[in-house]
Every structure is written in structure tokens, then in C-alpha cells.
């Protein structure tokens, strides 16, 4: 296989990013710096990107639209798991979900057999942005947006990294902005605020706790994106499909920032 194809298949970057990485002398084959993208490599060659060995294992990446009601684990005695949806997939035995969404959270989940990729996406030091849509049963405090932007402090005293909050608090209001019973009923009776929160952390119940620290109570949560990778709107709940080469790089292109 060509070296550039191997590198992009192993998530080092897009074909054009890989060209630059090669040009910058950051790839070694069996100890020698190689700059030629067309070089043919085989299973026994040892490939290093910077100091990292790139395994020859075939890697698979899937976008999964997690429905509510299943847990983000490979197995569970009590509950349905996200992996139950992959039972028909040939590679089922190797795969695992990248990070966790709560049982009642919906949305984008990546499933892969690439441990390194998973680590880089979930590692707190990498600050990969995740975007969540939420609905809250309570309105958020008036200063929620600025407190989130500064880095909110949770009720247990944990200080969060700065987060982006886009808020729409009209679900229970009429056209004139007044609290309206009619609008409340139309909105399902509960939602008092909805918004999009962009965070770079992923601790237990991160979004729910951040919203709670602003007086809200999350009653619906959906992950919309990870890095620059968005949930495919054509992918129904419970469905999955392979990521394209471009999409893998959108989620995280570990070498791109250093080019
Ligand atoms: N934050 C939460 O509170 N729950 C999730 O599932 C993901 C992020």
C-alpha cells in the first residue's frame, strides 16, 4: 500500500495534510525519514508519525445515532447497550464506544476498534469540543451565558472550563414574550428553556450539572457534534454507518494542529 494512503487510513490527516506532514520530515519508515507519499509499505514495516508507532491493524470507525434507553458500554447485565445495535456488524467483537453518553442522552456516538483514537478524543488534555442541544424544565439564570463563558463553578465546587451557551427561552412564552399557559402546553408542558452548550470537558453528567449550576434542570439532551464532526441528519435513531476519511479527520486530526 502507498504510504500516504496508509497514513490517512490511520487517521494521521487528510491526504493533503499527510503530504505536508511527510514534507516536514515527521514520518519514519524503519527508522528512516521518508518524504515520498508514493512509497510502498508492507505489514512488516515499522511506521512512526513523530514518535508514535502506527499499528497495521485495520481500523474501523462508525457514526452511531444513540437513542435514549441504552447504556454506553460493551455489556451490561440489566440494560440494553449501544453495542447491542452492532450485533449484525462483522467487526462486532472488536468494537467499543468512544466515551460515554448517559442512558437518557441521545445523539452522536463514535464506535471504533481504535484505542488510540478513542483516547485522543476523550483525553481531557485535548480539549475536543462537544456540542449538546438541551431542554430544561426550569429557566436558566439571567447571567448563565456569561458565567458559562467564564467557566462556571458547579454546585460541588468544581470549576469548569469556559463553555459556549446559546440560549432560547421562549418555549413557554407567547409572541409578546409573556409566560403563556398556551405556549407551555404546546411545548409539551415542561420545557422552559432550550439551548446549545459547547463544552470541552466530559466528566460525569457534565452538561446536566453545568445547567443545574445555572438554575436549570435538563429534561432532554442530545449530542450534536464532536470536534467538527456533526451527527448526520439522515441517520435515524439506533442506526449507524462508517465514517468517511474526511469525517474521521473532522472528529480529530491529531497532527493537523502542528502542521
Ligand atoms: N453531559 C451529560 O450530562 N450527559 C451526557 O450524556 C453527556 C454530557
Amino acid at each position: 500500500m502507498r504510504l500516504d494512503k496508509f497514513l490517512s487510513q490511520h487517521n494521521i490527516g487528510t491526504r493533503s495534510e499527510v503530504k505536508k506532514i511527510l514534507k516536514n520530515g515527521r514520518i519514519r519508515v524503519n527508522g528512516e525519514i521518508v518524504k515520498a507519499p508514493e512509497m510502498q509499505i508492507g505489514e512488516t514495516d515499522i511506521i512512526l508519525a513523530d514518535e508514535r508507532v502506527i499499528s497495521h491493524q485495520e481500523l474501523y470507525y462508525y457514526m452511531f445515532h444513540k437513542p435514549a434507553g441504552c447504556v454506553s458500554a460493551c455489556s451490561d447485565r440489566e440494560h440494553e447497550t449501544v453495542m447491542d445495535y452492532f450485533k449484525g456488524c462483522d467487526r462486532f467483537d472488536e468494537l467499543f464506544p468512544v466515551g460515554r453518553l448517559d442512558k437518557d442522552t441521545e445523539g452522536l456516538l463514535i464506535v471504533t476498534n481504535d484505542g488510540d483514537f478513542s483516547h485522543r478524543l476523550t483525553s481531557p488534555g485535548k480539549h475536543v469540543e462537544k456540542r449538546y442541544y438541551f431542554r430544561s424544565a426550569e429557566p436558566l439564570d439571567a447571567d448563565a451565558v456569561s458565567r458559562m463563558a467564564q467557566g462556571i463553578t458547579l454546585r460541588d465546587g468544581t470549576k469548569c472550563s469556559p463553555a459556549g451557551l446559546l440560549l432560547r427561552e421562549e418555549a413557554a412564552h407567547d409572541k409578546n414574550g409573556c409566560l403563556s399557559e398556551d405556549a407551555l402546553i404546546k411545548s409539551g408542558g415542561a420545557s422552559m428553556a432550550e439551548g446549545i452548550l459547547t463544552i470541552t470537558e466530559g466528566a460525569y453528567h457534565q452538561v446536566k450539572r453545568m445547567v443545574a449550576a445555572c438554575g436549570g434542570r435538563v429534561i432532554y439532551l442530545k449530542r450534536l457534534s464532536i470536534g467538527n464532526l456533526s451527527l448526520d441528519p439522515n441517520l435515524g435513531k439506533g442506526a449507524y454507518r462508517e465514517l468517511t476519511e474526511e469525517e474521521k479527520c473532522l472528529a480529530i486530526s491529531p497532527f493537523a494542529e502542528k502542521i
Side-chain angles (χ1 to χ4, degrees), residues 100-102 105 132 199 203-209 221:
R100 283 173 184 272
L101 290 176
D102 295 338
T105 301
Y132 292 87
I199 57 172
Y204 180 66
H205 289 344
Q206 181 83 34
V207 171
K208 290 172 184 163
R209 293 193 299 152
L221 187 59

Side-chain angles (χ1 to χ4, degrees), residues 6 12 33 41 60 107 149 168 189 194 210 240:
F6 173 85
I12 299 304
I33 290 179
I41 54 146
Y60 308 108
R168 195 165 67 158
E194 59 183 340
M210 288 172 81
Y240 65 85

Side-chain angles (χ1 to χ4, degrees), residues 61 96-99 112 114-123 252:
Y61 308 87
F96 55 87
V98 175
T112 183
D114 184 347
D116 197 37
F117 176 88
S118 170
H119 174 72
R120 279 179 277 128
L121 262 189
T122 52
S123 155
I252 185 172

